[in-house]
């Protein structure tokens, strides 16, 4: 198999990431160290996994505003089941992921069968998940977790740096998704449904099943993100994920995936998440006020969407 | 049922008070190009949709190759060997030519890679697409370029090639030259001829009389939900044909050689 | 015959009782969000006080910290439902003022709890923690705890522009003896001893990330100010992962039960405890008094803040963990 250069969709964000890294390396000699880079990876791993699900959904020209709050609900369920009810860690984790998958499936049914706009549906699920989380947790963080539950937060040494297991899981998930989207019919159908749903229907693709599938699969990923979040912070936090809803979409958009569907690369979302993480880390190292981090993120989003649009206008005859 | 590939008798379809098909007949013979013409509201597209499986008629019969068929959806028709080139082409513009050709019918790799990992055999799809396009003498660069980088005529050709590649009996084309300029239309018309010469029967819906007269072997005239005439383009003038279509001229008034539909 | 009569009497009683309940004066409580145990506790306190005072309490909250529109809508709805008193913890100190003025113009009593509006005299009265004082208490503690060592400070703040965030932060600097902006300022002071500042949004995960990044910037940080206890928990996790948890002092504000537990375990050195229950009860009592007698409360009533620490620091008055646990809000167990 020939090695291909990253497609134009991912090239832009990669370049931006590279430029940002070079810039921050010149501004602080602590930036480009194994320890610091490992930290950045840990800091983006939760949003990174959320962004995988979000990418699949955005590829079908949908959007999921509820990803972060569904994740929070999953986190509360799995931690309370372990800490309060005393279930073994694996059962509690499975329960948490089951809950997030269920909510993802609900989104999927409403979008694929009842044909409601994804923006509206997930806006509703966002609120429902949030309320359920607050009610079940009584707005309290859940502590005293079994160590098995936070094991993904553990580290191993890789050439002098500590790497968190959860980061490896995130990278593996990106790898699997990349493979599936590129090499399997189901993956290509996701692109087709996003690019032209009518054509997909007419050529025999089960579009309803594809749409349902991406939302339900995203639900599974949100559950895994919940586990990573619990592993990282060591608690079940009912307030987790509230900014992650938009952070995940930001990562996907900065990564070059089009909000109109049918175009984009999954690895772009990883790059997008890394870009946001690198900026937060780098600007803190430089001592720049956090207000500028927010400003820069906004500018990056517009640049990303703008370059995507302009490059496509150039490509089409 | 004698050498006819696709035949329909007495199709009726009503939408509330409106009768779209009022006992319509249809006959398509092997290896011919049959143009279907008719004014707006004549039931042209309803007839074609019934034949392509996109709608189910209230009553009437359809035969394919002498066997009675009941299509519940376009996929049924496709499985029976009838392919349709829709007016908006039904292609995914961001995806490549090869991907579009095999959309919904992707080929998987042999062995473990295909059955367990579900990997696609991209190399084979690319080479087969190239072969299909070459057979129809369509000149497009590479199979991996995206469809949206093609011109209108090239896109149309890809859609036609897709139908020709998978059709076993019939290819239905809905206004294939409608959006094209002179040069590209000529290219597509030539392509349609090659599809017929390959052994498929073609149903061509068109408003463009010069194009119809250029390639059709026979012309099915639809009016008021029925088939009123089947004309021979070599024996009848364009203006007379239009007159039959609008009702200004009754088929009975035509000389026998020009009208091959003898039932009145 | 007996059963039928009893039923009749019961029905009549219900009919007469209902209007009696409907005649109860209505007080509205609008908190910032549903997701902060501080406000959950406030609501509980208000409900208890309402039952005791014989008033009916309507409650609502913003969708998130900062949601002004949700609070304005809630206020309008409560007034339409007949509320004569509004108790509100404002999300946006400036943007809420027009709605408050409109309500007061109708004769409604408006009391701010916990967070002041800007200008503070837009409301009839303010029952709140003095957040500047809270910061100052933990600053003084930190000064004593450092014992003369030069401070290298990281601050994990809320987010830009929030008055409570600014007051706690600046009060902390003042208590430390460093130059600090005044109470009225919404800007975060940054003397040279503050080597790193990051936003936590009051959230444990972001607090952890902020601490990690600050430690990368300057591994010698020995004092960490945090906006609230979840943020402090996140900071502690980061310090522990870097092996630095023994040598760094973390201070915080709030006094939730989980936070007091963290003080007991040594994760947090000291916290300034606030009393949401007291704020709510005072507010409801004042509202009930207003409805019954027409007496309007005025001015600012400080609901108190107490320094809680496991190890007392020289020259600074603090209370122990046991006291903190008895007064804390949240899950006690």
């Amino acid at each position: 198999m020939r090695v291909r250069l990253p497609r134009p969709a991912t090239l832009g964000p990669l370049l931006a990431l590279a430029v940002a890294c070079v810039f921050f390396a010149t501004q602080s000699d602590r930036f480009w160290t194994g320890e610091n880079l490992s930290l950045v990876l840990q800091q983006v791993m939760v949003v990174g996994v959320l962004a995988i699900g979000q990418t699949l959904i955005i590829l079908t020209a949908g959007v999921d505003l509820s990803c972060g709050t569904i994740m929070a609900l999953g986190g509360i369920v799995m931690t309370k089941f372990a800490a309060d009810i005393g279930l073994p860690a694996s059962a509690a984790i499975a329960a948490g992921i089951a809950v997030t998958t269920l909510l993802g499936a609900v989104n999927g049914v409403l979008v694929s069968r009842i044909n409601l706009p994804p923006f509206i549906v997930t806006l509703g699920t966002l609120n429902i998940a949030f309320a359920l989380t607050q009610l079940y947790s009584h707005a309290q963080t859940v502590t005293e977790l079994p160590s098995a539950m936070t094991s993904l937060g553990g580290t191993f040494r890789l050439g002098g740096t500590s790497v968190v297991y959860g980061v490896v899981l995130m990278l593996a998930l990106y790898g699997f998704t990349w493979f599936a989207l590129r090499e399997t019919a189901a993956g290509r159908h996701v692109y087709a449904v996003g690019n032209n749903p009518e054509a997909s229907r007419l050529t025999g693709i089960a579009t309803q099943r594809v749409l349902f599938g991406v939302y339900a699969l995203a639900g599974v990923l949100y559950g895994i993100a919940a586990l990573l979040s619990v592993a990282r912070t060591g608690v079940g936090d009912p307030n987790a994920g509230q900014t992650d809803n938009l952070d995940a979409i930001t990562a996907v958009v900065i990564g070059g995936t089009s909000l109109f569907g049918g175009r984009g690369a999954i690895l772009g979302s990883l790059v997008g998440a890394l870009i946001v993480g690198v900026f937060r880390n780098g600007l803190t190292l430089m001592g720049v006020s956090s207000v500028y981090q927010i400003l820069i993120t906004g500018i990056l989003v517009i640049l990303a969407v703008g370059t995507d649009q302009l490059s496509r206008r150039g490509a089409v005859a | 049922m004698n050498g006819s590939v696709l035949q329909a008798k007495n199709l009726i379809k009503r939408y509330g008070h409106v009768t779209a098909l009022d006992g319509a007949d249809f006959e398509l013979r092997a290896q011919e190009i049959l143009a279907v013409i008719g004014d707006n509201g004549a039931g042209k597209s309803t007839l074609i949709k019934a034949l392509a499986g996109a709608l189910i008629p209230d009553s009437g019969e359809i035969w394919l190759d002498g066997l009675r068929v009941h299509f519940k959806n376009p996929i049924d028709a496709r499985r029976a060997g009838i392919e349709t080139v829709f007016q908006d082409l039904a292609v995914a513009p961001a995806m490549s030519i090869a991907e579009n050709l095999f959309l919904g019918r992707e080929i998987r790799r042999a062995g473990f890679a295909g059955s367990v990992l579900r990997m696609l055999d991209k190399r084979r799809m690319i080479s087969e697409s190239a072969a299909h396009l070459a057979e129809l003498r369509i000149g497009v660069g590479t199979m991996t370029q995206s469809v949206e980088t093609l011109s209108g005529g090239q896109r149309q050709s890809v859609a036609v090639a897709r139908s020709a590649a998978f059709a076993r009996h019939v290819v239905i084309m809905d206004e294939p030259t409608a959006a094209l300029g002179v040069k590209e239309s000529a290219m597509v018309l030539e392509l349609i001829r090659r599809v017929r010469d390959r052994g498929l029967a073609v149903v061509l819906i068109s408003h463009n009389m010069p194009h119809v007269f250029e390639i059709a072997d026979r012309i099915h005239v639809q009016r008021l939900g029925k088939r009123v005439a089947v004309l021979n383009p070599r024996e009848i003038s364009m203006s007379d044909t239009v007159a039959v279509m609008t009702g200004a001229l009754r088929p009975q008034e035509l000389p026998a050689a020009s009208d091959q539909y003898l039932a009145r | 015959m007996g059963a039928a009569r009893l039923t009749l009497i019961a029905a009549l009683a219900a009919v007469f009782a209902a209007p009696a309940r409907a005649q109860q004066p209505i007080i509205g409580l609008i908190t910032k969000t549903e997701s902060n145990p501080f406000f959950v506790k406030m609501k509980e306190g208000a409900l208890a006080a309402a039952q005791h005072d014989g008033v009916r309490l309507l409650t609502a909250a913003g969708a998130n910290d900062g949601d002004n529109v949700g609070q304005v809508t809630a206020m309008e709805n409560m007034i339409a439902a007949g509320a004569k008193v509004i108790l509100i913890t404002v999300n946006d100190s400036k943007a809420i003022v027009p709605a408050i003025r409109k309500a007061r113009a109708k004769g409604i009593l408006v009391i701010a709890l916990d967070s002041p509006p800007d200008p503070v005299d837009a409301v009839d009265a303010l029952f709140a923690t003095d957040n500047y004082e809270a910061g100052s208490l933990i600053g003084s503690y930190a000064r004593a705890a450092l014992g003369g060592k030069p401070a290298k400070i990281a601050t994990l703040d809320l987010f830009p522009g929030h008055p409570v965030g600014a007051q706690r932060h600046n009060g902390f600097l003042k208590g430390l003896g460093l130059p600090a902006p005044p109470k009225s300022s919404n800007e975060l002071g940054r003397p040279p001893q503050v080597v790193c500042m990051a936003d936590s949004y009051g959230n444990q995960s972001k607090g952890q990330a902020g601490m990690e990044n600050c430690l990368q910037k300057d591994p010698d940080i020995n004092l960490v100010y945090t906006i609230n206890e979840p943020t402090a928990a996140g900071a502690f996790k980061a310090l522990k992962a870097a092996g630095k948890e023994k040598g760094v002092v973390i201070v915080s504000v709030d006094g939730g039960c989980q936070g007091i537990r963290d003080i007991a375990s040594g994760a947090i050195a000291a916290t300034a405890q606030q009393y949401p229950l007291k704020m709510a009860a005072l507010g409801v009592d004042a509202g009930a008094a207003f409805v019954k007698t027409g007496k309007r409360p005025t001015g600012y009533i400080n609901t108190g803040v107490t320094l809680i620490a496991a190890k007392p620091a020289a020259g600074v008055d603090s209370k122990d963990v046991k006291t903190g646990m008895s007064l804390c809000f949240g899950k006690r167990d």
Side-chain angles (χ1 to χ4, degrees), chain A residues 113-129:
Chain A
R113 294 214 171 257
I114 322 281
N115 284 312
L116 298 176
F119 188 94
I120 311 278
V121 168
T122 58
L123 200 56
T125 337
L126 155 74
N127 287 303
I128 293 173

Side-chain angles (χ1 to χ4, degrees), chain A residues 30 43 140 281 285 290, chain C residues 199 212-213 216-217 331:
Chain A
R30 306 204 66 97
Q43 289 165 3
Q140 295 279 33
N281 173 278
L285 287 179
S290 62
Chain C
D199 286 343
E212 286 166 349
N213 292 340
Q216 282 299 299
K217 175 161 199 270
K331 203 161 66 157

Side-chain angles (χ1 to χ4, degrees), chain A residues 242-258:
Chain A
Q242 281 172 33
T243 50
D244 293 347
N245 292 318
L246 286 182
D247 281 352
I249 297 175
T250 305
V252 174
V253 170
I254 292 182
T257 299
S258 168

